[in-house]
């Protein structure tokens, strides 16, 4: 019979611990139909996965009895068949790269409740020509519309204190910094 070394025992122990941690992370994820979500401390849900194939997507406002308040990082990334998306009222944040590389999207409807859009959330959405941001939007991550080559118009549903569109660019008012350049036709 072979003897195990201390190093082999440590490697086995680390493997068992890593597998246990993976199970802990996935244990909090819940699945409802085509949606994967997690329940947040405030009793709301963050969508963390999508297994559907819809072209015209209406994101639900609740999953089970949990109001949807967030869309996680990369949830819809590379879903190139999406053509339109409606994000429900109650969603306050959209994560980094949430809709990145969704070439087919031509329209996105964002809710009044939205406060935060993550880094590159809509990057490389080549079909997107215009977008209306909610007046209460407080934070836009880095390059939210990078490589959106056909995006020519960004508007707000009302006066926005944090951002403005000026001279073909979306500007962070407080930092006087360009957030996105809008392509001109």
């Amino acid at each position: 019979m072979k003897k195990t070394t201390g190093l082999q025992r440590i490697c086995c122990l680390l493997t068992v611990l890593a597998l246990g941690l993976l199970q802990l992370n996935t244990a909090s994820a819940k699945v409802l139909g085509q949606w994967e979500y997690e329940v947040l401390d405030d009793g709301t849900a963050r969508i963390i996965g999508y297994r559907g194939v819809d072209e015209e997507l209406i994101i639900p406002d609740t999953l089970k009895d949990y109001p949807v308040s967030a869309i996680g990082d990369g949830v819809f990334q590379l879903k190139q068949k999406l053509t339109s998306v409606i994000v429900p009222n109650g969603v306050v944040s959209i994560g980094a790269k949430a809709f990145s590389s969704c070439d087919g999207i031509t329209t996105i409807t964002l809710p009044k409740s939205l406060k935060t859009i993550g880094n590159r959330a809509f990057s490389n959405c080549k079909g997107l020509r215009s977008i209306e941001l909610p007046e209460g939007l407080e934070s836009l991550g880095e390059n939210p519309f990078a490589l959106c080559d056909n995006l020519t118009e960004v508007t707000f549903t009302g006066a926005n204190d944090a951002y403005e569109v000026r001279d073909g660019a979306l500007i962070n008012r407080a930092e006087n910094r360009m957030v996105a350049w809008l392509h001109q036709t």
Side-chain angles (χ1 to χ4, degrees):
M1 181 182 272
K2 270 175 101 177
K3 284 185 167 181
T4 58
T5 66
L7 181 59
Q8 288 172 321
R9 285 185 194 137
I10 291 172
C11 287
C12 286
L13 180 61
L14 289 174
T15 302
V16 168
L17 286 172
L19 289 173
L21 288 175
L22 285 174
Q23 287 179 347
L24 284 176
N25 286 339
T26 57
S28 64
K30 299 180 182 313
V31 176
L32 180 64
Q34 60 195 8
W35 303 100
E36 186 175 346
Y37 66 99
E38 60 189 4
V39 178
L40 303 175
D41 291 341
D42 65 359
T44 64
R46 174 178 28 231
I47 295 173
I48 57 172
Y50 173 69
R51 300 179 184 147
V53 294
D54 296 322
E55 290 180 16
E56 296 179 358
L57 179 64
I58 300 173
I59 297 171
D61 58 355
T62 60
L63 290 167
K64 293 265 182 175
D65 293 327
Y66 305 105
V68 174
S69 67
I71 297 171
D73 295 347
V75 172
F76 301 100
Q77 188 172 15
L78 294 169
K79 299 286 186 186
Q80 296 180 0
K81 291 186 178 185
L82 285 177
T83 59
S84 67
V85 176
I86 298 174
V87 180
N89 207 31
V91 170
V92 294
S93 70
I94 294 176
K97 296 185 178 182
F99 295 95
S100 179
S101 298
C102 293
D103 292 347
I105 290 179
T106 57
T107 60
I108 297 175
T109 304
L110 300 173
K112 292 178 185 179
S113 57
L114 188 63
K115 301 292 181 199
T116 304
I117 295 175
N119 296 343
R120 302 178 73 84
F122 302 103
S123 66
N124 210 25
C125 289
K126 303 223 183 273
L128 193 60
R129 298 188 186 291
S130 66
I131 190 165
E132 184 175 58
L133 301 173
E135 65 184 281
L137 186 67
E138 297 171 357
S139 174
L140 273 169
E142 294 297 317
N143 299 312
F145 306 108
L147 303 173
C148 291
D149 297 339
N150 294 306
L151 184 63
T152 59
E153 183 180 25
V154 173
T155 57
F156 288 90
T157 57
N160 182 280
D161 294 332
Y163 298 93
E164 69 176 311
V165 177
R166 181 182 351 133
D167 299 326
L170 181 59
I171 306 291
N172 177 316
R173 290 178 193 256
E175 298 173 12
N176 199 26
R177 175 183 58 86
M178 182 175 71
V179 175
W181 177 256
L182 307 178
H183 294 272
Q184 305 302 312
T185 57

